[in-house]
Amino acid sequence: MKGGRNGRQKGSMPKDDRLIYLVFSAQHKLRTHLKDRMAESGVTITPAQSGILFLLKKKDGQTMSELSSQLSLDNSTLTGLVDRLERSGFVKRNAGTADRRASHVFITDRGGEEIERARVVIRRVNDRIREGFTEGEIGAFKKILHSFFERFGA
């Protein structure tokens, strides 16, 4: 007997070979799950904002262009994310000394504390993704994901 929409029971995995649909659906579910777990843990930044803070924690003072390139975000999207981080006190921006048009972004102490709280949640969700799979299966999954970058650009 067929279930609800798309011929599946509510809550079951879609039986579908539309790979683009499955990848987008999985991405949406993962993003929503991560956002919810972060909020439940008192983390106030979004998963997208965490990417910026992780990059700044690794190398502080990056330009907006550097961040945009590493995160594969357009400038307007990145600007909005950095604006919200700045309003919350997690980052600060300074104009560059060589080129005053190049804005450099710096993580604040408060931002460093927030990204450490987020790191715990993100690590827990990452571990949950791995549950029930062998190392070989995880390796194959990673190979498939990496192939997207090779086939469609970094």
Side-chain angles (χ1 to χ4, degrees):
M1 170 184 231
K2 289 198 175 196
R5 281 190 350 232
N6 300 328
R8 62 185 173 111
Q9 296 293 328
K10 184 176 178 161
S12 69
M13 283 190 359
K15 292 181 174 42
D16 202 323
D17 65 350
R18 297 175 294 169
L19 298 179
I20 293 170
Y21 167 78
L22 291 171
V23 169
F24 283 155
S25 294
Q27 178 192 26
H28 176 72
K29 284 194 176 294
L30 180 58
R31 183 177 290 143
T32 300
H33 179 78
L34 181 57
K35 186 177 176 187
D36 291 348
R37 298 301 78 76
M38 288 170 75
E40 286 171 2
S41 297
V43 176
T44 60
I45 57 173
T46 65
Q49 291 170 328
S50 71
I52 295 167
L53 294 181
F54 278 126
L55 289 173
L56 294 174
K57 188 88 171 164
K58 193 174 193 178
K59 180 184 171 222
D60 207 11
Q62 295 188 57
T63 65
M64 295 288 280
S65 295
E66 289 172 319
L67 293 169
S68 178
S69 173
Q70 291 176 81
L71 294 168
S72 299
L73 295 173
D74 61 56
N75 289 337
S76 62
T77 300
L78 180 69
T79 299
L81 292 168
V82 171
D83 285 347
R84 287 188 289 285
L85 286 169
E86 190 172 34
R87 278 194 301 271
S88 298
F90 297 131
V91 300
K92 61 183 179 187
R93 272 186 275 208
N94 293 340
T97 53
D99 181 357
R100 304 242 349 121
R101 294 170 297 173
S103 182
H104 294 263
V105 184
F106 297 86
I107 192 168
T108 63
D109 289 343
R110 186 167 179 223
E113 293 166 4
E114 186 71 1
I115 198 58
E116 289 310 314
R117 281 192 292 278
R119 183 186 311 274
V120 171
V121 177
I122 292 167
R123 189 170 289 140
R124 201 173 16 211
V125 171
N126 196 55
D127 289 345
R128 176 84 201 283
I129 292 168
R130 291 173 168 274
E131 282 179 12
F133 296 101
T134 66
E135 284 304 312
E137 289 169 328
I138 295 296
F141 182 58
K142 287 166 58 175
K143 182 178 178 182
I144 291 167
L145 294 175
H146 285 293
S147 78
F148 292 161
F149 298 104
E150 295 164 8
R151 293 176 191 204
F152 308 115

